[in-house]
Amino acid sequence: MPTELGFVVTRLMKENFKGIVDVAFTAGMEEQLDKVEEGAVPWQQVVSDFYTPFEKDLEAAGANIDKVKLPDPVSDVPCDKCGAMMVIKTGRFGKFLACPNFPECRNTKPLLEKLEVPCPKCGGDILKRHTKKGKTFFGCANYPNCDFVSWDKPVPGKCPRCGGILVQRMGQNGPFIACGDRTCGYIQRSRKDKE
Ligand SMILES: [Zn+2]
Ligand SMILES: [Zn+2]
Ligand SMILES: [Zn+2]
């Protein structure tokens, strides 16, 4: 899926650089470059034909386009200080939740990343969390009502041996998929092995 920023950039390019955001331009340029290669046209001519109108477009775009400020995506988490729905911001250390009423309300929270896999105990969401020391683990969103927790990242699918959850573990040769229950011991063979 294109991002919001991608849509904005494409729209601005189409509006302000009609001459080059165009299939005919690309095809024509290729033809011209072929002629340069063949020695039929001097490259200075080709570059000048391109650059003279482009320079004007560039100047006009610089004067016409306002600085674009994308709205922050709204999360489904209410601010526990003022009740506003918190927005997702990107900082130096990744994404986090911030109150939209900044600077009146300066509340921020870590953004909890939700996995695509439901909790095997209660069907709720599994969230990526961090211990106080920064180690990643995965826990049920319904904690403390549900005590599901895993150091390894749960992945979609069921263990074909015991029907339990599958998790991703790190091995010497990179990540591999295995049963979440170590006493079961099931390990999924990699795609390479299957081939
Ligand atoms: Zn707030
Ligand atoms: Zn649960
Ligand atoms: Zn198993």
Side-chain angles (χ1 to χ4, degrees):
M1 273 293 286
T3 60
E4 186 69 29
L5 181 62
F7 282 114
V8 170
V9 171
T10 304
R11 179 176 59 77
L12 290 175
M13 288 295 290
K14 278 186 175 163
E15 283 172 6
N16 295 279
F17 298 97
K18 286 194 188 81
I20 60 167
V21 185
D22 177 35
V23 180
F25 165 80
T26 312
M29 178 57 83
E30 243 163 81
E31 220 168 83
Q32 289 297 306
L33 294 175
D34 283 344
K35 283 186 184 155
V36 170
E37 196 181 353
E38 290 158 12
V41 181
W43 67 264
Q44 292 87 343
Q45 183 63 52
V46 175
V47 172
S48 152
D49 286 350
F50 160 71
Y51 199 74
T52 310
F54 177 70
E55 196 178 18
K56 289 209 181 80
D57 285 350
L58 206 54
E59 259 170 42
N64 295 337
I65 303 177
D66 291 326
K67 192 160 168 41
V68 177
K69 176 106 176 62
L70 292 177
D72 294 314
V74 180
S75 75
D76 52 8
V77 180
C79 172
D80 36 33
K81 295 204 176 134
C82 73
M85 291 317 264
M86 297 186 85
V87 294
I88 300 165
K89 297 239 178 216
T90 307
R92 274 205 299 155
F93 302 107
K95 293 187 169 170
F96 64 97
L97 292 173
C99 182
N101 292 329
F102 182 87
E104 288 80 37
C105 175
R106 293 173 174 263
N107 191 22
T108 61
K109 273 178 159 187
L111 176 67
L112 297 174
E113 200 182 305
K114 227 190 267 178
L115 298 192
E116 297 298 311
V117 188
C119 170
K121 283 197 178 169
C122 75
D125 290 327
I126 299 178
L127 302 176
K128 185 177 175 182
R129 294 176 180 274
H130 300 275
T131 64
K132 283 199 180 105
K133 285 184 176 169
K135 194 172 177 201
T136 303
F137 70 99
F138 301 89
C140 182
N142 295 328
Y143 179 85
N145 294 323
C146 173
D147 64 357
F148 172 77
V149 64
S150 171
W151 289 114
D152 301 311
K153 184 181 180 182
V155 295
K158 278 200 169 118
C159 171
R161 202 177 284 170
C162 74
I165 61 156
L166 293 174
V167 297
Q168 186 182 62
R169 291 213 179 99
M170 282 308 283
Q172 281 179 326
N173 304 314
F176 64 94
I177 308 290
C179 180
D181 181 359
R182 280 177 195 266
T183 57
C184 163
Y186 169 77
I187 289 172
Q188 194 177 81
R189 294 172 69 192
S190 71
R191 238 172 239 145
K192 231 190 246 165
D193 290 344
K194 277 179 197 158
E195 283 161 8

